[in-house]
Amino acid sequence: MAEPLLILETDPAIEGLWVAIETARAQSYPLTGAAFRLTRAPQTPLEALDAAARELDFQPLGSHWIEVPRRIAVKIATHIIAHDLAYPDEIVPAAQATELAGRVLALVGPQARYFTNGAVSGEFAIYDMQGNEVIGWRSLSDAPFDHGLFALDDRRVIVLWAEDAP
């Protein structure tokens, strides 16, 4: 049997980060946060993203993942921590959401690549690596809206994902 591509990280510091985000968002639906250690180099980044999606019982996107620059990744992570997807209500104060998003992105190295499923909501536009504005999204879950970030470097895949409650 082949060795799995990913193993769930159980580092207490990472687990503490997910708890901090869940605690901050106690007045809204929880986010999915996960860190997976790569056991080997994937053939393509998409292989690792799809493997992580499957581990979380999400639908893999294959060639439909949208790569975004780090500055957009920061905005996505901050937005899904601070807000609900369907409503503009602030759930977590902006400064706290920014700090938590920074801690999530610090789990990958400077060479990390960032991917999302599209543009669901928010006060900012999402642009891909070519500078094109992203319109619409492809769902990974059965939720009415889902959006988030998958980050990948040479040692791990980090997931921060929001599913708006039905």
Side-chain angles (χ1 to χ4, degrees), residues 81-165:
I81 291 170
H83 301 276
D84 284 335
L85 291 180
Y87 304 101
D89 301 335
E90 184 177 81
I91 304 302
V92 177
Q96 184 181 11
T98 300
E99 185 268 332
L100 290 167
R103 289 174 57 192
V104 170
L105 296 179
L107 295 173
V108 290
Q111 78 285 11
R113 296 172 69 183
Y114 305 94
F115 298 84
T116 190
N117 64 326
V120 174
S121 68
E123 59 203 35
F124 61 90
I126 293 178
Y127 296 93
D128 65 16
M129 294 299 287
Q130 291 74 43
N132 300 313
E133 185 173 2
V134 176
I135 306 294
W137 78 97
R138 291 181 182 268
S139 291
L140 272 67
S141 72
D142 294 330
F145 299 107
D146 66 348
H147 186 56
L149 188 68
F150 280 51
L152 167 74
D153 67 9
D154 61 349
R155 57 190 179 99
R156 65 170 51 133
V157 177
I158 302 299
V159 178
L160 182 64
W161 205 258
E163 296 175 75
D164 201 356

Side-chain angles (χ1 to χ4, degrees), residues 3-20:
E3 179 181 30
L5 178 60
L6 304 170
I7 296 175
L8 186 66
E9 295 246 10
T10 57
D11 180 329
I14 295 173
E15 292 299 320
L17 173 57
W18 305 139
V19 169

